[in-house]
Amino acid sequence: EDKVVQSPLSLVVHEGDTVTLNCSYEVTNFRSLLWYKQEKKAPTFLFMLTSSGIEKKSGRLSSILDKKELFSILNITATQTGDSAIYLCAVFHVQGAQKLVFGQGTRLTINP
Amino acid sequence: DVKVTQSSRYLVKRTGEKVFLECVQDMDHENMFWYRQDPGLGLRLIYFSYDVKMKEKGDIPEGYSVSREKKERFSLILESASTNQTSMYLCASSFGGTYSGANVLTFGAGSRLTVL
């Protein structure tokens, strides 16, 4: 069965800390891995990773994919209260139809 | 600004009622999806559509149906709502195809449904 597992499910840190969110997957015919940020509205797209070992970076956020070990990490440095959100990991794969499978999400809370 | 618009942010319905959740996208996307989101379970795919009048079952289609009469509109229907369908429902769309980025989903803001 295809699955995407995120850890931790919940994380509370202080402003300024660095956090690492994890996403492991087991799917057939992997194509890409996506990260989304969800505040109290629509999830918004952060990164898409298709190649192993290449870091995607946007400001304080960065992500890397390990296709051999089947996982990805999302790193946030110098966290701010505005980083508080649910972070969703999803894997795009092909099994008959093309499908996106989501993990459970990590709820990140940044305290001032 | 491109958009996926869900018609209702909050709904409260009674058990047995028929419920329509509407979703419209203005990006000329081929693919549209309905997910439900529950704490600890993440997003689970209910139905999706790759073309007008076409639909495919996702992972949890039981108790739901969909309609896609026009390219921009994808409706989720609960024929007879039950309490276990209380959830957040998210609509999404994508261009589709095989090029990189074709399957990045754009989401609507969600419809929180409570069934009493």
Side-chain angles (χ1 to χ4, degrees):
Chain A
E1 183 187 337
D2 299 316
K3 61 180 179 181
V4 177
V5 178
Q6 292 186 244
S7 64
L9 295 183
S10 181
L11 184 59
V12 181
V13 300
H14 290 294
E15 206 167 16
D17 288 351
T18 293
V19 297
T20 299
L21 309 183
N22 303 290
C23 176
S24 64
Y25 61 91
E26 289 180 39
V27 301
T28 51
N29 296 320
F30 171 90
R31 290 290 187 266
S32 59
L33 186 144
L34 292 82
W35 284 97
Y36 284 85
K37 177 183 181 182
Q38 184 181 21
E39 296 169 270
K40 291 181 181 178
K41 51 183 192 283
T44 53
F45 172 72
L46 294 175
F47 299 114
M48 182 174 74
L49 302 129
T50 56
S51 299
S52 207
I54 295 177
E55 184 179 20
K56 289 281 183 87
K57 196 170 169 63
S58 176
R60 297 177 293 103
L61 276 68
S62 63
S63 184
I64 196 161
L65 172 68
D66 187 326
K67 285 175 74 174
K68 183 180 176 186
E69 300 298 330
L70 307 183
F71 76 90
S72 174
I73 61 169
L74 176 68
N75 233 58
I76 309 174
T77 60
T79 52
Q80 302 170 357
T81 54
D83 296 326
S84 295
I86 296 172
Y87 289 84
L88 301 168
C89 172
V91 173
F92 177 60
H93 73 119
V94 179
Q95 187 182 22
Q98 299 173 0
K99 290 172 69 173
L100 201 59
V101 179
F102 282 84
Q104 318 96 302
T106 293
R107 181 178 292 276
L108 176 64
T109 302
I110 312 295
N111 288 328
Chain B
D1 192 20
V2 294
K3 220 184 280 191
V4 177
T5 303
Q6 294 185 229
S7 55
S8 306
R9 286 301 309 275
Y10 300 95
L11 301 96
V12 179
K13 298 290 182 180
R14 296 205 175 274
T15 300
E17 280 192 82
K18 191 168 186 175
V19 182
F20 291 90
L21 299 179
E22 303 285 342
C23 175
V24 178
Q25 50 94 3
D26 64 2
M27 298 165 282
D28 200 32
H29 281 173
E30 298 292 329
N31 303 341
M32 296 189 74
F33 305 83
W34 276 105
Y35 289 87
R36 66 177 279 177
Q37 184 176 26
D38 301 288
L41 297 177
L43 273 70
R44 293 179 291 165
L45 182 62
I46 304 171
Y47 268 97
F48 59 101
S49 169
Y50 287 155
D51 201 354
V52 175
K53 296 193 186 293
M54 173 271 175
K55 60 186 178 185
E56 291 272 355
K57 291 180 180 179
D59 299 316
I60 52 163
E62 296 79 19
Y64 304 93
S65 62
V66 290
S67 172
R68 193 167 181 200
E69 296 295 318
K70 294 184 177 181
K71 187 176 184 179
E72 67 270 17
R73 188 180 297 270
F74 193 36
S75 303
L76 181 69
I77 303 152
L78 288 67
E79 293 288 342
S80 178
S82 63
T83 55
N84 63 12
Q85 292 178 310
T86 292
S87 187
M88 169 70 85
Y89 291 88
L90 289 167
C91 176
S93 68
S94 68
F95 278 110
T98 56
Y99 66 91
S100 175
N103 293 288
V104 173
L105 299 183
T106 300
F107 283 91
S111 298
R112 185 167 292 282
L113 172 66
T114 301
V115 183
L116 303 176

